[in-house]
Amino acid sequence: MASEFDLIRRHFARATPQAVLGPGDDCALVAPSPGQTLAITTDMLVAGVHFFADTDPWRLGWKTLAVNVSDLAAMGARPRWALLAGALPAADESWIAAFTGGFFACAERYGVDLIGGDTTRGPLTVSVTAIGEVPPGAALRRDGARAGDDLWVSGTPGLASLGLAAARGRVRLDAALARRCRDALETPTPRVELGLALRERALAHSAIDVSDGLLADLGHILECSGLAGEVELATLPAAPDGVDPMLWRDCLLAGGDDYELVFSAPPEARPAIEALAQALALPLTRCGRLAAAGAPATQADAPGFGLAAGAAPLRVLDAEGRPLVLTRRGYDHFDQEI
């Protein structure tokens, strides 16, 4: 049986051109680009909690890195390095080879060097620390949103959660939609190019990636910025053909695992954001707005987005502009399993 260090040499060792010293010593050494600050994030994925134990290992490898790269994208940071730690039930080299194939495919796509990590025996768990760079004071932070900002979301949130519902047998999907949803769940696309463009062109005031649900993650922006907000359901993607509208609404608003970006931007940035959507071939949907907590809206061209004094910090309006009563707003790691 291969030893821990044999496994590392065979499957995890790669050239690290962006590092001063890569794996093989007690620490890696990196040199940030001149004039840059480091953005650092970590995420853990646990079998039975974040993914099915029989998930294709290539896809799991991709997702393991992608969810961390997504955090960097949300702050407008450029991905550079990653460290990987994992607990494996057994030294299954075919499984490990497939996992690292997906991991390094994602790393190559987003310009990431794997500079170190650790392995041990245990219940299947993988954890990544990802490191990126962003100019000082330029990161897209959750506390940067401003009253009067538009709310935007990228892509099609809800597909990953719909894929999970199908995997659980809650819904039957036609073959094409099932593949699309499964891909969204298992091989998400970090919106790095979008995050960089929003930051470099000074288009957005704040951003967050959708990991726990659109409403739950948007709520973090509102809390950190001390604002209230409204989302207009009718502006968001409609239910795919044959999918129950109530199930789709739950997937769309509270499903999570999309890794799309939700961001706030001033109204005057609308033309530039619409042009950016065309340039990236990525749908960017204006779905709501922000206001001072408890303050009424005054923007004439945004009917239905008024916030009455004492209103809830985050409301969702139906097609007639009436607030919806929602029982679930996102994923809770201590309340739910996959």
Side-chain angles (χ1 to χ4, degrees):
M1 178 180 294
S3 71
E4 172 188 357
F5 298 104
D6 289 335
L7 292 175
I8 291 171
R9 281 191 293 270
R10 290 178 191 174
H11 301 288
F12 296 95
R14 295 287 194 282
T16 54
Q18 299 185 95
V20 177
L21 179 66
D25 215 311
D26 289 303
C27 296
L29 300 175
V30 298
S33 302
Q36 297 289 301
T37 55
L38 296 180
I40 304 172
T41 183
T42 190
D43 264 309
M44 181 184 299
L45 300 180
V46 180
V49 177
H50 301 97
F51 61 92
F52 295 107
D54 62 353
T55 296
D56 176 85
W58 193 100
R59 289 176 163 240
L60 179 60
W62 175 283
K63 185 171 183 176
T64 296
L65 182 57
V67 301
N68 286 270
V69 170
S70 180
D71 284 336
L72 299 177
M75 298 197 78
R78 185 175 300 279
R80 294 290 306 277
W81 306 284
L83 297 103
L84 170 65
L88 304 173
D92 182 341
E93 291 208 52
S94 63
W95 189 97
I96 295 170
F99 174 89
T100 55
F103 186 95
F104 283 112
C106 187
E108 182 177 356
R109 168 65 179 81
Y110 296 103
V112 175
D113 281 355
L114 179 65
I115 58 173
D118 191 25
T119 59
T120 189
R121 181 190 296 272
L124 181 56
T125 303
V126 286
S127 179
V128 166
T129 296
I131 306 168
E133 293 181 332
V134 62
L140 299 174
R141 294 170 40 159
R142 298 178 185 182
D143 62 0
R146 302 177 190 176
D149 276 358
D150 293 326
L151 288 173
W152 297 78
V153 65
S154 67
T156 307
L159 290 178
S161 184
L162 187 59
L164 179 58
R168 286 172 164 168
R170 292 178 57 199
V171 62
R172 292 179 62 87
L173 307 175
D174 67 61
L177 180 58
R179 284 193 300 272
R180 185 182 177 201
C181 292
R182 195 78 180 200
D183 287 347
L185 177 65
E186 295 180 346
T187 55
T189 301
R191 300 303 185 185
V192 173
E193 292 84 358
L194 173 60
L196 289 173
L198 293 175
R199 189 258 299 167
E200 291 170 350
R201 304 180 192 184
L203 295 177
H205 290 147
S206 67
I208 191 170
D209 70 331
V210 180
S211 57
D212 295 329
L214 190 152
L215 297 184
D217 291 312
L218 177 55
H220 297 313
I221 289 181
L222 300 185
E223 180 180 5
C224 291
S225 297
L227 297 174
E230 288 185 342
V231 171
E232 192 173 47
L233 183 61
T235 64
L236 293 169
D241 290 344
V243 176
D244 176 68
M246 294 302 292
L247 172 62
W248 176 247
R249 190 179 81 176
D250 182 70
C251 292
L252 184 65
L253 298 177
D257 239 9
D258 296 300
Y259 301 98
E260 297 294 349
L261 295 190
V262 175
F263 59 97
S264 75
E268 57 267 26
R270 291 175 190 173
I273 293 172
E274 290 166 355
L276 178 60
Q278 292 291 322
L280 296 178
L282 173 66
L284 299 177
T285 302
R286 181 163 57 93
C287 60
R289 73 179 299 270
L290 302 178
T298 58
Q299 189 174 326
D301 64 344
F305 288 99
L307 293 174
L314 176 57
R315 303 195 302 173
V316 180
L317 305 179
D318 66 14
E320 285 72 44
R322 297 171 301 197
L324 294 171
V325 177
L326 302 171
T327 58
R328 196 170 79 93
R329 292 190 171 225
Y331 178 85
D332 186 329
H333 291 79
F334 289 95
D335 185 51
Q336 296 169 261
E337 294 186 349
I338 192 167

